[in-house]
Amino acid sequence: MTPDTVALRWTSGPTVGERLLLSAMRQWAALRSAGEHPTRLVAQALAFRASNRTGGLFVAWMQAVEASLRRPIQVECPACGGISTDEQRLMLSCGLAGTATAIGEALLDPLLVDSQPAMVLARALNAALRVDGYPLPARLRDEPEPERATVH
């Protein structure tokens, strides 16, 4: 499986773990846009919902992402419910971190200068979310097979 075969389209709605991660990413972006430091507030929110470990790992992951950004992360309006391509890349790579690190890194290449540090932390964050009851799926999908004619 190559990065080209990873679909950025959702085949089903986000899981509870993905919604938690998306909410934390959007809270982080909203606080950054308001000129506030998001580390403490987002870590506390995640610690309340999941654990201190998850909160701390999320902060470290986002700091690694921010340190390596090629451009600002595009975030969709929380009111519309849409998930931007950048948000999808971050969530998918975090879900893939435990099983397909190279594909996760390739997904982040358009967004980050160096995706390896972010993927190392994504793997730890993925494991912490799983322990806390918020597993992230590894959303890999092969190219759809063409329909074959039935020979009778």
Side-chain angles (χ1 to χ4, degrees):
M1 192 152 312
T2 67
D4 295 335
T5 63
V6 176
L8 287 178
R9 296 175 188 251
W10 298 96
T11 55
S12 62
T15 65
V16 176
E18 289 171 326
R19 287 194 308 267
L20 180 64
L21 188 60
L22 178 62
S23 175
M25 286 190 300
R26 287 183 172 175
Q27 184 181 18
W28 184 278
L31 289 167
R32 275 282 189 236
S33 295
E36 297 181 36
H37 295 287
T39 53
R40 185 179 53 81
L41 293 173
V42 176
Q44 286 176 342
L46 282 171
F48 176 77
R49 185 69 183 219
S51 69
N52 286 329
R53 176 180 43 190
T54 295
L57 285 168
F58 177 82
V59 167
W61 178 62
M62 284 304 296
Q63 288 173 336
V65 166
E66 284 183 333
S68 190
L69 282 175
R70 292 181 190 273
R71 58 175 172 72
I73 296 173
Q74 295 174 348
V75 179
E76 295 294 311
C77 174
C80 76
I83 300 174
S84 74
T85 301
D86 289 350
E87 290 170 326
Q88 289 181 46
R89 286 180 183 283
L90 289 166
M91 282 198 307
L92 286 172
S93 66
C94 196
L96 293 170
T99 57
T101 305
I103 294 173
E105 286 179 8
L107 277 172
L108 292 177
D109 281 343
L111 189 60
L112 305 179
V113 174
D114 181 11
S115 58
Q116 192 172 15
M119 285 304 293
V120 169
L121 289 164
R123 184 177 183 138
L125 176 59
N126 185 330
L129 284 165
R130 186 175 53 253
V131 167
D132 293 338
Y134 298 100
L136 298 175
R139 292 185 184 264
L140 287 175
R141 183 175 68 176
D142 289 325
E143 291 294 322
E145 293 184 24
E147 292 184 26
R148 296 184 184 131
T150 304
V151 179
H152 291 278

